[in-house]
Amino acid sequence: MKKTSTRLADGRELIYYDSRDDTVRDAVDRRPLDRTVTTSEVRRDPLLGDAVAIASHRQGRIYHPPADECPLCPSEGDRLSEIPDSSYDVAVFENRFPSLAGDSGRCEVVCFTSNHDASFADLTEEQAALVLEAWTDRTAELSHLPAVEQVFCFENRGAEIGVTLGHPHGQIYAYPFTTPRTALMLRSLAAHKEATGGENLFDAVLERELADERVVLETEHWVAFVPFSAHWPYEVHLYPRRRVPDLLGLDEGARTEFPQVYLELLRRFDRIFGEGEPPTPYISAWHQAPFGTLEEFDGVVREDFALHLELFTIRRTSGKLKFLAGSESGMNVFINDVPPENAAQRLREVASS
């Protein structure tokens, strides 16, 4: 992998990740852009104890542009985009409309391919491996920023999810705090460790799932399963067999095997609802240990956390979506219409050839 860092016209960082070591990236951003001005602010909710990012500047972000005006495609002739070069393998840049900025963290966009009409599932294993390298490198780099405590790599796919740009891409949020969802995991981890005299909760969950009927696929280095208490109609958790706290901890075997496993899962998601259905909308989210102190979680250290990916769709059946209504949005109590065992069976049935 070759990494080339440069700057866009307004000062934002752009990084190219290339498969070939001899690739030259010297294209200049020719757009007449002013410096990016953001109004991001993190506010604490005194009742719930969580954080809310207030970012009013995001109201002006680009919304469903036509394909020939896509800002994530390579620049070509007089059509200038966020990517100055005429082609790229993987490109990462600071979001022009970030939810978090400055002392409030950082937001980046990850372009998986220059092909506007592709999706992650269309990538080759080599391309997917390069995306994994980019996620890992950005996790390492962002963890060194003074304001950053947790790094979150994720992909939103589909208009139903709220995606406003159709080009295949994901995002990275570098938070200045430990996110509420991760904090819940860490508290459960601490409580289980104390109650069992030191047993790791993630290890126990993985052992239980391996012994049950919800495993979707397993390889030498990875296990994918529908969790016992799945929140979403079709939800898969992907764990490396060897527990590591973040992407940096993956060994060579897990890295080599990941593209095959992950691409297979994404392709199965597109088959869930049968032929002729539109692409399955999904969220794919990496959960990594925070880089800050864990003192508030008694007895827990970073190495206790288990890196894992959660992949889920909001489509519950053909033509119907799972909406977060009263119980989910008002009380955070999920109601799942699809038994996890049935979801796992369906995902095994649609295995690609």
Side-chain angles (χ1 to χ4, degrees):
M1 180 195 75
K2 182 179 180 181
K3 174 184 175 183
T4 305
S5 180
T6 184
R7 292 282 170 180
L8 296 173
D10 55 6
R12 289 175 294 131
E13 186 178 16
L14 165 68
I15 309 109
Y16 294 100
Y17 293 89
D18 289 290
S19 298
R20 292 175 57 96
D21 290 337
D22 60 352
T23 304
V24 176
R25 298 295 184 188
D26 56 7
V28 176
D29 186 1
R30 296 180 282 125
R31 296 173 298 172
L33 298 180
D34 295 327
R35 286 274 172 174
T36 300
V37 177
T38 62
T39 57
S40 180
E41 174 190 357
V42 174
R43 298 183 181 180
R44 291 281 179 179
D45 185 317
L47 294 180
L48 299 179
D50 59 7
V52 178
I54 309 296
S56 60
H57 62 277
R58 285 174 53 79
Q59 287 282 37
R61 67 188 186 274
I62 300 170
Y63 187 80
H64 292 298
D68 60 357
E69 296 179 17
C70 175
L72 306 185
C73 287
S75 293
E76 183 177 357
D78 294 331
R79 186 178 64 78
L80 306 178
S81 74
E82 294 278 56
I83 318 294
D85 216 322
S86 59
S87 66
Y88 63 85
D89 290 346
V90 175
V92 179
F93 60 87
E94 290 183 75
N95 198 321
R96 191 176 178 186
F97 303 95
S99 302
L100 307 165
D103 293 338
S104 297
R106 176 157 156 156
C107 292
E108 297 182 341
V109 177
V110 183
C111 298
F112 303 139
T113 172
S114 59
N115 184 353
H116 180 85
D117 297 319
S119 69
F120 201 118
D122 296 321
L123 300 183
T124 65
E125 290 185 19
E126 181 184 23
Q127 289 174 306
L130 187 59
V131 175
L132 177 61
E133 289 298 320
W135 283 331
T136 305
D137 181 72
R138 296 316 302 154
T139 296
E141 292 291 328
L142 293 171
S143 70
H144 295 309
L145 297 181
V148 172
E149 188 166 311
Q150 185 173 359
V151 178
F152 176 47
C153 307
F154 65 100
E155 180 192 1
N156 298 328
R157 191 245 206 159
E160 300 94 328
I161 296 293
V163 174
T164 57
L165 295 176
H167 195 102
H169 73 287
Q171 300 181 65
I172 302 176
Y173 277 20
Y175 297 101
F177 49 79
T178 297
T179 60
R181 187 175 177 86
T182 302
L184 285 173
M185 293 184 195
L186 291 169
R187 291 190 188 99
S188 296
L189 189 61
H192 186 84
K193 191 173 186 178
E194 181 179 4
T196 60
E199 182 182 69
N200 185 279
L201 179 57
F202 287 109
D203 293 349
V205 167
L206 186 55
E207 182 179 356
R208 173 185 179 179
E209 295 295 349
L210 280 168
D212 220 314
E213 58 183 310
R214 290 174 300 276
V215 172
V216 174
L217 65 87
E218 55 181 311
T219 63
E220 180 180 355
H221 298 282
W222 294 90
V223 178
F225 58 88
V226 177
F228 173 74
S229 53
H231 290 57
W232 299 94
Y234 290 91
E235 174 182 342
V236 173
H237 292 192
L238 178 62
Y239 277 67
R241 287 185 185 270
R242 184 177 70 88
R243 173 165 41 90
V244 295
D246 52 42
L247 289 166
L248 283 71
L250 291 175
D251 59 25
E252 190 61 31
R255 291 184 180 282
T256 299
E257 207 173 67
F258 171 78
Q260 175 188 355
V261 174
Y262 186 50
L263 290 172
E264 172 68 15
L265 284 178
L266 293 183
R267 291 162 186 168
R268 290 191 191 190
F269 256 57
D270 275 342
R271 291 184 173 91
I272 295 173
F273 303 104
E275 297 295 330
E277 285 290 320
T280 301
Y282 65 72
I283 291 175
S284 177
W286 280 110
H287 291 264
Q288 306 191 79
F291 288 94
T293 177
L294 300 181
E295 291 179 359
E296 64 179 291
F297 308 104
D298 294 339
V300 171
V301 296
R302 285 195 83 245
E303 289 68 28
D304 290 333
F305 194 88
L307 167 76
H308 61 284
L309 182 143
E310 297 185 7
L311 172 68
F312 62 89
T313 179
I314 62 172
R315 188 178 291 165
R316 57 185 174 88
T317 190
S318 180
K320 298 179 181 178
L321 301 180
K322 165 65 178 177
F323 291 102
L324 300 190
S327 185
E328 291 89 354
S329 294
M331 284 294 162
N332 201 28
V333 177
F334 277 67
I335 301 168
N336 189 352
D337 301 327
V338 180
E341 294 73 23
N342 293 10
Q345 176 62 33
R346 178 59 182 157
L347 285 163
R348 289 192 296 268
E349 290 173 351
V350 296
S352 62
S353 59

